[in-house]
Amino acid sequence: MKNITREKVIFLLIFVLMVIMVVNASQKQKKYYVFNSSSGKLYKYIKLMPGEKYSWETSAPDSITVISRLITNAVADSQYFYDAVYDGESHKVSRNIRFSNISRGVNGDKVSSWNSYRFYLTLPGKKLVINNSSGHPMLVKVNPDTRKVKKHKTDTDYIAYPPDYYDNSLDILVNDKVYTYYQGNYNGIALDLQGPLNLKIINRLIVDKVENLSFNWKAYLDDKEILEAADSLPYSTSCLADSSSIVTQGKINIINIPKGKHTVKIVDSQPQGILYRLYISKSAVGKK
C-alpha cells in the first residue's frame, strides 16, 4: 500500500513539473519580432492569441502608449478590437486594419501597420491588462511616455536572424536546445540588411554527408566578395533534431555591414550543403 502511495506522489510531482515546464515554454514563445524593410530594424512585440491576456506593471509615467498590430494572414476585417483594463476601468479599443508594405514577421508572417492608443494616468504603480478580443493573433507592446536611461549595449549582443533566401532549413539539437540552420545548396543564402551592424555567421557540416570535415565558403556584399572562409571542423555531440546524423562543431565569422541598405550572399565553395545560422547585432533592433 505504501509503495502505491509513493508511486502516486512521484507521478503527481512529475505531472506538476511538466505543467510548469509547458507554462514556462509558452511564456518564452510570446516574444515576436517584426522586421521593417525601410529602417532595416527589428521591433519586439508580445504575441497574443485570441482570448490571451498580457499584464504590464506601471512605474510612474504620465501616460503610456499601447502599440498593436495584427498578423494579417487571411484577415478580411476592416477593424480589430482589444480590451484594456487599468485600475478597474475597462477600455474597449477599436483600430483600423491597414496592411503594411514594409513590415513582416521574421518568420515571414504578414502583419498590419501599427496602431497606438494612449492612456493618461492618474494613479501610478497600477497594473494594465490587455485582452486580445480581436479573434486574430495580435502583437502588442507598451511604451511608458517618460524618458528612460539608456542601457549600454556591447558589440557582442546578437539576436538570431533568418535569411531572406535559402534552399533548405534543418533543426539541430545543441545541448538539449533546438536551433534552426539554413542551407543554400544550389542558389546560396542571401539576406537584405540595413547597416551599420555586425552579421555573425556560424557554420557546421553534417558529418555523414561529407568525405572530410573541411569547408570553404564565400560571402558577398552587394555582389562584391568580402570574405572567404576556409577551415576544418572537429566532431560534435550535437545532431540533427531527428537524430538521423551528427554534425560538427560550429565555426564563427563576423562581418561588419556598413551604413545603408545592402544585400549579403553566402555561397558554398566546398562542400555543397554547408549549414549556416545567422545573427545580427542588437544595435539593429528598434524600440517600436
Side-chain angles (χ1 to χ4, degrees):
M1 187 68 178
K2 289 183 178 180
N3 289 337
I4 295 176
T5 302
R6 188 181 299 111
E7 289 176 358
K8 287 183 177 179
V9 171
I10 293 173
F11 175 80
L12 180 61
L13 289 173
I14 293 173
F15 177 77
V16 171
L17 288 173
M18 290 178 66
V19 170
I20 292 174
M21 290 173 66
V22 169
V23 171
N24 288 337
S26 66
Q27 291 293 325
K28 291 179 181 178
Q29 291 174 355
K30 285 186 176 180
K31 290 183 180 178
Y32 188 99
Y33 289 90
V34 172
F35 174 70
N36 183 291
S37 61
S38 178
S39 66
K41 292 187 176 182
L42 294 174
Y43 300 101
K44 183 171 70 174
Y45 288 82
I46 299 297
K47 180 180 179 181
L48 298 179
M49 298 304 292
E52 272 194 304
K53 296 180 179 180
Y54 170 59
S55 298
W56 187 85
E57 194 81 23
T58 66
S59 52
D62 297 325
S63 62
I64 54 178
T65 299
V66 178
I67 297 174
S68 62
R69 297 176 180 264
L70 284 190
I71 296 178
T72 60
N73 291 335
V75 173
D77 302 328
S78 60
Q79 285 188 321
Y80 66 97
F81 302 86
Y82 64 88
D83 300 303
V85 179
Y86 180 76
D87 193 32
E89 183 177 353
S90 181
H91 302 258
K92 186 76 172 181
V93 182
S94 65
R95 286 292 179 265
N96 293 328
I97 299 176
R98 305 183 310 277
F99 290 86
S100 176
N101 294 321
I102 61 174
S103 296
R104 61 171 174 79
V106 294
N107 61 352
D109 285 338
K110 294 181 180 179
V111 298
S112 67
S113 299
W114 63 274
N115 290 300
S116 65
Y117 185 83
R118 178 171 290 181
F119 292 87
Y120 292 95
L121 308 181
T122 57
L123 296 171
K126 299 292 183 177
K127 182 182 291 185
L128 171 69
V129 179
I130 298 171
N131 178 28
N132 178 13
S133 54
S134 70
H136 306 287
M138 187 174 77
L139 306 177
V140 64
K141 68 182 303 180
V142 179
N143 288 339
D145 299 328
T146 54
R147 185 174 297 176
K148 289 185 175 181
V149 177
K150 291 184 178 180
K151 295 181 179 180
H152 176 69
K153 293 183 178 179
T154 67
D155 290 336
T156 57
D157 289 334
Y158 290 89
I159 182 171
Y161 189 81
D164 294 300
Y165 309 98
Y166 59 93
D167 293 325
N168 189 32
S169 64
L170 292 169
D171 290 333
I172 293 179
L173 187 65
V174 182
N175 297 326
D176 297 325
K177 292 184 179 181
V178 176
Y179 299 88
T180 301
Y181 278 71
Y182 302 89
Q183 291 178 309
N185 310 50
Y186 310 107
N187 302 305
I189 289 174
L191 62 164
D192 299 320
L193 295 172
Q194 178 81 25
L197 58 84
N198 288 330
L199 174 65
K200 180 165 73 172
I201 305 170
I202 302 178
N203 68 275
R204 297 174 183 265
L205 297 173
I206 301 176
V207 172
D208 62 358
K209 298 289 184 180
V210 294
E211 294 182 1
N212 55 61
L213 303 185
S214 62
F215 68 89
N216 183 285
W217 54 266
K218 296 180 179 180
Y220 297 83
L221 181 68
D222 301 327
D223 296 324
K224 180 180 179 181
E225 184 180 323
I226 57 170
L227 173 68
E228 181 175 7
D231 207 338
S232 59
L233 296 169
Y235 284 93
S236 172
T237 57
S238 303
C239 63
L240 298 183
D242 62 3
S243 301
S244 61
S245 183
I246 64 172
V247 298
T248 64
Q249 294 182 21
K251 181 70 176 182
I252 298 176
N253 283 276
I254 295 178
I255 299 174
N256 179 257
I257 308 299
K259 184 177 180 180
K261 291 184 178 181
H262 302 279
T263 298
V264 178
K265 188 170 185 179
I266 300 168
V267 180
D268 297 346
S269 297
Q270 67 84 25
Q272 298 297 308
I274 299 174
L275 299 170
Y276 300 93
R277 183 167 171 84
L278 309 176
Y279 296 81
I280 62 171
S281 51
K282 284 187 177 180
S283 60
V285 178
K287 296 182 179 180
K288 74 175 182 180

